[in-house]
Every structure is written in structure tokens, then in C-alpha cells.
Amino acid sequence: MLTPLFHSAASHPACDEPFVQPVNSRGALYLAVLITLPTMGSALTWAADTADGLGFLYGNNAGSYAYAISADGRVVTGYGDTASGYSTFRWTAAGGIIDLGSINNGESSYATAINSDGSVIVGQSGTQAFRWTQAGGMVGLGFLSSATNSEAIAVNADGSVVAGRVRNSNYTNVQAFRWTQADGMVGLGFLTGGNYSQANGISGDGSILVGSSNYASTNNFQAFRWTQTDGMVGLGFLSGGNSSGANAISSDGNVIVGSSNDASGNTQAMRWTQASGMVGLGYLTGGNYSEAYATSANGSVIVGFSNSGTSSGEAFRWTSSGGMASVADWLTAAGVSIAGFNQFSSASGVSADGNTVVGYGTNSSNRTEAFIARVGGTADSSGVVGLTDLQTSMGQTLAVSNQMEGLTTLTMNGAHHRPLTEMAVGNSRSCGWVSGDAGRYYRQANGYTGLAEVGACHDFEEHGVRVGLGVGSSVSDLKLENKGHSRVDGEYGLAEVDWQLPNLPLLASLLGTYGVWNADLRRGYAISGTAPSTGSTDITGYSLRARLDWQNAFHVGQVGFSPRLAYTIYRSEVDAYQEKGGSAPASFADQNHTGRELRGGLTGKYALSDKTTLLAHAEVAHRFDQRAANVVGNINALGIGIGVDIRGNKIAQNWVRVGAELDYRVNNSNLLNLSTFIASAGQDPDISAALSWKMAF
């Protein structure tokens, strides 16, 4: 027999029991997130929180699962784990992931469908079907008489019609329903002799519902089409068959797709029209099982799943002119590289024009991954992109803002890890310096950073003040995933004022920087042979550090110890830019971020000789901001506009750094300094070294 079908392509937890699985039990997606393209004509907009593409409701250890996307692609709904169960969420690029709660506090809820503009969401809360709107919140749709459980499964384009099923506690009576504001919940009945039915799909105007019902007091099911005029009408079976089910309906209501068994007992994808009745779509070569999941706007293109002689499960795309072909063959015939995927396992959605297919498969790393594939339009709009690959690639754009903050840190805590007054030379009131600093990242990134700097200073002895001005050039170069690359280089100026407090061993200093850098970014893709997307933009950065050193606060033997405290605020502003090349070039909005940091440290100083002094440093750093800058933009993925709003990477809040240093006084007017530091995972390079020459004149 055929198991009842559902409009949703993925299983999900119910509040008190699971949904019945689709016919193709192997087709229940292993994915936590399934993106399904709308069958309307608008462009898709999609964003991804972090294993998290859309984020979480309750922390990193919880899960979140997307179930439906609006026709314009701007709103996603699903559910997320909570401390007590599940809760429905609504996600937008502007607002992020928002908990919609439940009808009654404390009960679980989950969403199953969303209307075309994302203003209406339906699903189940506790044991009751719900309909959510921005104005009214989550409202229960009630039950039919004697039913104790209701579930909303589908909603029409404007959100005015909801369909699903109701049941009693022991499943002896399960019935499809249609709900409207005017009439409330109305049972659709059953096919003759049946006691189980459910609605899985609705036409765009809400006048036609499709689904499956058992019949003739048997456990077999038959696909049905329901209208207000004719009621529930069975669509029959393929020749020789006795069980069928409907999964979806075209937006105009003329084409219904699903599956039916045939005379041989095999289950076969089917397409039904008023004129032709139910027609089998066949199988992929060597197969004996197939099922249709979705159809284009006019029903001319159908996608789904079929086994074959070489695979237990493979995505197919069917057209009236070409018949059934695997998605892999369809792409290959169009000259599209599929090297990024070992297999396209199932196709669950298709665009209105039939040229874009989405589903899931096994990528070249043997991981189950959602995919989006397109053939048609310009050469740049054809191809296949894995959504996980695309998400990983887009995540590389977070590097630019992070690199800028790393360069600021290198200046503040590398070349200038000690105030200018601490590096006193000679008796002259004027001084100068030349410095070089280099760092290497291993843990939080893979690359290097460095700077070169020159400056001059002057003492105002009567006030105990030293003022210094300098200019420098700095660079950060990181290797990213999939052969991606990010390089930031530019110039900056700085000013420092040190004040030796009168009659106190306290040295107060204020250091500020301002600079302009250029960033060149190459975003790579996992798919072999796919050209990278490249872009270039400008960055402005400025920072200010206030610091207080207690000089030689105490001694242990001949070692003098000086504690210190520093507070730094820095700002990076990445200009908007447009990429070029690759399968998914993107445009990005400005990325602005303000960081705040507190450091406490201790320096031990020991005079080895008249010319040589050894120093040791230890410090603890704390970041007050928790995430780096967000990335907002729009990708052109295979001719489809995909909106992106990626939360900034989580920032290491606390880390430690230790270092060793040597001062060598060449003569009374010249001082050479060599320092090296090692840090735990944080904003500082994992390892760094600096060399400077201080002079009096």
C-alpha cells in the first residue's frame, strides 16, 4: 500500500507524535535545513545563520530547522530547540531569528508552511493547528467535532486558506480539513468507504486542495482533488494499480503530481490533468520506484526522486518533451560541472519556469548537502551550487573586518606594547623611532600580519610630557577555505601623549591611530573548476587607547615589577563593494564595527648589564563585544538573487599573552629593542616578534 503523503518534503517532530512519513521513506531529508524554491515567478532571496545559517533560539547547543520559505525568499520559518521542547521561529534578514512562541505557554510548536509574502505562517502548537500573522500573533484554528488533534500542512498564496488534517486520539478517524476566516475549519470527508484523509497542497487561489484518502474500507490510499463544487474526487491509479497519492498542485490548479503503484506493484511518479487523467512518468534507467514532489507553475516541469540501476536514490527532472532525466545528466548535458557532488539524491522543489531545481545530495566531501542547480539564461546563470558550499564561501567575507581589527591590535599591542617614555634614550628632548613587527596566525586563521613604522617625539620637560607622531604601513594576508584569500594593506598615522604624573610612579598615556587600507578578497568554492569570485574595497580604521603604568611598583630581588591597565576602543568601516567572476558573484553593503577591549598586565625588568636589560611580560585581555561585523549583501547565484545577512563571527572574549624582550643600549643616544610574544587564541597573533631602533637627537 501507499502511505499517506505530505506537502512537506521533510519529517519533523510533532508536539505529541511525529508526522506520517512520505511515501519515499528514504526521501525524508537528512538535512536540518531544506531550502525549497517557490513555484511563483519572483526571485529567491535566502540567508544562512550559522550551523547555524539562521541562528538558534536558545544557544549553540540547540538545533534550528527551516521548513518553508516565502515566495519572494525573504522570510523563512521552522522551529528551534528550547529547554522544554520546540518553538516556532520566523527569520528575516533584517530581524534575524525570532521566537513566535506557542498558543499556550510551555507547549511546543512548529511551523510547516508559509504564504507567498511571508506574512502568514501555519503549523501546530501543542495539539492544535495554528495560523500566525504579524498583527494577531499565533491563533489556534480549533478542531472538528470529536477530534483532539489538528495539524496545518499547507497555506495558499495570500494566506487566507489553510489545509491539513484533524484526528482523534487513536487515529481511527483522520480527516482532511480546509480552513477560512469566514467558515472556520471544515472537514473534507473521505473517499467512499474511507476513514483517513489529509490535504497536502493548495492551489494559489485556495479553491483546489489535493491529498490522499483511503477508500472502500481498505488500507490503500487514493490521490484526491477537492473543490467546493465537486467535493473530494478520487483521481484513480495508474493502470493495474490500487494505491496513489498527491503531493503537490500547480499554482493554476491544472496539474497534480505524486505517485501511484502500477500493475507490477511498483510505485511510479505520476502527473494528472483533467484531459489526460493519471499518466506515469516512468523511472530512471534500471529503476522501479519513483515519486514526484513538485511542479513548475504550469506543470510542464516536474522534479522528484527515482532509484536506478546504479543508485538507490537519485534526483530527477521530467519535462513533457524530454521525459525523465537525472539532475546530474541534465546538468552535464548543459555543460555544467557537477564535480562538487558525488550524487544528487532527491529534488524537492522547482522554480516557476522549471529552470532551477533544489534538493539534497552527497557532496564531494561525502556530506549530505542541499543544492541549487540552474540551466538556462546566460552562461553565468547556469550551474550547480551547493548551499553549504555557498554558505561556507560567503562566510569568507567575514575575514575583512576581522583582519582590520587584527592590524589595529598589532599596532597598539605590538609595536607600541610599551609607551614611548618607557623607551627613553639620551638626554636630548627630541627622539625618533623605526619599528617593524610581524605576526603569524594558526588557530583562528591561517596567515600573517606585519607593519613598518617611523616616528618622532619631543619632551616637554617642565610638564613631564612626551608627545610622539608617527606614520606606518601594515598588511594582513590570510588563506581562506577552498583556496580563498584575503589581503588588507594600507597606511596609518598615530599620535601618542605620555604624562609622568608629578611625584608619583605613575605613567599615563594616550595613543590614537587613523588609517586607510585596501582589501582584496577572493572567495573560493568547493566545486572543482569553478572560478572564484573576487572583489576589492576600502577600509577606514581608527582607535584610541588609554593606559596607566605603575612603574616599579614592587621588587623581588633585583627584578622590578610594573603592573598596567589599558582600555582600547577601535572602529573599522568597510565600504560597500561588488564582486565579479565565479558562479555566485555578490554585492556587499558597508560593514561597520566598534570593538572595546580591556587589558591588564605585569612587566618584570632586570638589568643584565649597563647596556642590556631583560624584560618579561604577562597580560590578560578581555573583549566586551561578542561578535564581529555582520555581512549584508546579495548573491547572484546562477541567475537568482539571494539576499545574505550573515552574523559576524563570535569573538574570543578572553585570552592571555606572554612575552620576552631585550633592550640593548648601543650608546647614550641609540637603543635597539627586540621583543617576542605568544598568545592564546584571541585577537593577538599566535606568535609575533618586533624589532625597533630608538634614537635621541
Side-chain angles (χ1 to χ4, degrees):
M1 78 171 208
L2 289 180
T3 311
L5 307 179
F6 275 105
H7 179 70
S8 174
S11 62
H12 52 80
C15 301
D16 61 340
E17 41 80 22
F19 262 32
V20 177
Q21 297 295 313
V23 167
N24 173 21
S25 60
R26 291 165 296 186
L29 298 184
Y30 303 111
L31 300 172
V33 179
L34 173 66
I35 303 300
T36 303
L37 284 178
T39 56
M40 308 297 287
S42 54
L44 173 68
T45 301
W46 173 79
D49 195 343
T50 133
D52 323 87
L54 303 185
F56 305 97
L57 294 177
Y58 294 93
N60 283 337
N61 293 328
S64 62
Y65 309 89
Y67 267 84
I69 190 168
S70 60
D72 63 5
R74 298 182 183 277
V75 186
V76 178
T77 191
Y79 72 92
D81 294 332
T82 71
S84 58
Y86 308 99
S87 190
T88 296
F89 72 74
R90 181 179 187 267
W91 178 96
T92 63
I97 190 168
I98 298 175
D99 189 346
L100 300 186
S102 55
I103 296 175
N104 300 306
N105 291 335
E107 66 185 13
S108 290
S109 69
Y110 59 85
T112 56
I114 192 169
N115 76 326
S116 61
D117 66 1
S119 62
V120 179
I121 293 171
V122 301
Q124 185 182 42
S125 176
T127 60
Q128 185 175 183
F130 74 76
R131 179 178 181 270
W132 177 94
T133 63
Q134 189 78 50
M138 190 177 291
V139 177
L141 301 185
F143 311 93
L144 293 176
S145 176
S146 77
T148 58
N149 186 292
S150 61
E151 299 162 80
I153 302 172
V155 63
N156 74 326
D158 66 7
S160 63
V161 183
V162 180
R165 69 172 186 176
V166 294
R167 65 170 179 81
N168 56 11
S169 59
N170 58 8
Y171 283 91
T172 57
N173 190 304
V174 182
Q175 183 176 182
F177 74 79
R178 181 179 186 267
W179 178 95
T180 62
Q181 192 72 52
D183 299 328
M185 188 177 290
V186 177
L188 304 186
F190 316 94
L191 294 176
T192 302
N195 67 348
Y196 189 123
S197 66
Q198 63 186 47
N200 300 321
I202 308 179
S203 61
D205 63 5
S207 65
I208 306 173
L209 277 65
V210 299
S212 59
S213 170
N214 64 350
Y215 65 97
S217 300
T218 69
N219 289 326
N220 291 335
F221 285 78
Q222 182 176 179
F224 71 75
R225 179 180 184 271
W226 179 96
T227 63
Q228 192 77 49
T229 302
D230 299 328
M232 188 179 292
V233 177
L235 302 183
F237 320 96
L238 294 177
S239 178
N242 63 2
S243 196
S244 64
N247 278 339
I249 184 171
S250 60
S251 60
D252 61 9
N254 292 328
V255 178
I256 298 169
V257 301
S259 64
S260 171
N261 62 4
D262 54 26
S264 64
N266 295 328
T267 297
Q268 183 178 170
M270 67 82 173
R271 178 180 187 266
W272 181 96
T273 63
Q274 193 75 51
S276 303
M278 190 176 293
V279 177
L281 304 185
Y283 316 96
L284 294 176
T285 303
N288 61 3
Y289 188 105
S290 63
E291 184 171 353
Y293 289 138
T295 177
S296 60
N298 62 7
S300 63
V301 179
I302 297 169
V303 299
F305 157 93
S306 174
N307 64 357
S308 66
T310 59
S311 173
S312 60
E314 197 166 353
F316 76 73
R317 179 180 182 271
W318 177 95
T319 64
S320 54
S321 59
M324 184 181 293
S326 70
V327 167
D329 288 346
W330 170 59
L331 293 169
T332 301
V336 176
S337 171
I338 60 173
F341 279 82
N342 295 332
Q343 178 177 298
F344 300 101
S345 303
S346 183
S348 55
V350 62
S351 61
D353 62 6
N355 290 333
T356 305
V357 177
V358 296
Y360 74 96
T362 304
N363 66 19
S364 57
S365 299
N366 289 318
R367 299 178 62 187
T368 301
E369 180 181 0
F371 71 82
I372 175 173
R374 181 174 175 84
V375 171
T378 65
D380 288 341
S381 66
S382 295
V384 56
V385 174
L387 297 183
T388 300
D389 180 24
L390 189 57
Q391 177 182 340
T392 300
S393 179
M394 291 305 297
Q396 297 173 16
T397 60
L398 295 168
V400 175
S401 179
N402 295 345
Q403 283 177 277
M404 191 61 253
E405 293 175 3
L407 288 176
T408 299
T409 294
L410 189 67
T411 304
M412 290 286 185
N413 303 298
H416 291 270
H417 66 278
R418 292 164 67 187
L420 291 175
T421 300
E422 276 277 302
M423 311 288 280
V425 289
N427 298 315
S428 174
R429 296 179 62 179
S430 298
C431 53
W433 74 89
V434 178
S435 299
D437 203 339
R440 185 73 167 87
Y441 292 99
Y442 294 99
R443 284 168 291 197
Q444 291 194 289
N446 180 16
Y448 71 87
T449 184
L451 64 80
E453 183 182 293
V454 297
C457 47
H458 184 76
D459 293 338
F460 298 87
E461 293 182 356
E462 63 273 19
H463 302 294
V465 172
R466 171 171 287 188
V467 176
L469 298 175
V471 294
S473 177
S474 60
V475 60
S476 175
D477 195 282
L478 297 183
K479 294 180 180 179
L480 307 177
E481 290 186 80
N482 302 327
K483 298 183 179 180
H485 181 251
S486 181
R487 180 181 175 87
V488 175
D489 60 82
E491 289 69 44
Y492 63 89
L494 64 89
E496 179 175 339
V497 178
D498 298 346
W499 179 37
Q500 184 71 59
L501 274 66
N503 304 315
L504 291 174
L506 299 178
L507 176 64
S509 61
L510 195 65
L511 173 64
T513 69
Y514 176 86
V516 177
W517 290 259
N518 176 261
D520 292 303
L521 179 69
R522 182 179 71 228
R523 272 195 311 110
Y525 304 94
I527 298 174
S528 177
T530 301
S533 297
T534 59
S536 180
T537 187
D538 293 324
I539 307 172
T540 301
Y542 40 94
S543 59
L544 184 66
R545 182 188 74 190
R547 173 169 164 163
L548 185 65
D549 289 72
W550 187 358
Q551 298 169 310
N552 294 313
F554 62 93
H555 286 76
V556 177
Q558 294 181 309
V559 180
F561 289 91
S562 302
R564 63 182 178 277
L565 192 65
Y567 179 81
T568 305
I569 182 170
Y570 39 85
R571 172 81 172 173
S572 62
E573 299 177 351
V574 182
D575 291 347
Y577 65 99
Q578 171 69 56
E579 292 181 325
K580 58 184 179 181
S583 293
S587 59
F588 296 98
D590 294 345
Q591 300 173 38
N592 301 325
H593 182 68
T594 301
R596 295 174 176 85
E597 177 185 287
L598 181 67
R599 294 189 183 226
L602 182 67
T603 296
K605 183 184 298 186
Y606 173 70
L608 186 63
S609 68
D610 291 341
K611 288 192 172 185
T612 306
T613 302
L614 301 180
L615 300 93
H617 303 278
E619 65 181 12
V620 177
H622 172 73
R623 280 283 291 270
F624 293 95
D625 47 319
Q626 297 182 354
R627 287 186 177 271
N630 290 356
V631 172
V632 178
N634 188 75
I635 314 168
N636 179 17
L638 311 180
I640 303 171
I642 301 177
V644 175
D645 190 345
I646 305 175
R647 294 186 72 189
N649 289 333
K650 282 193 171 181
I651 293 171
Q653 298 288 140
N654 303 288
W655 67 96
V656 297
R657 191 173 72 142
V658 296
E661 189 169 2
L662 182 148
D663 282 349
Y664 179 73
R665 193 171 299 278
V666 179
N667 53 44
N668 193 45
S669 299
N670 292 274
L671 176 72
L672 291 178
N673 172 266
L674 175 65
S675 62
T676 182
F677 286 89
I678 299 175
S680 62
Q683 191 66 38
D684 291 292
D686 295 306
I687 184 170
S688 63
L691 178 65
S692 64
W693 171 31
K694 305 295 190 299
M695 68 209 78
F697 55 84

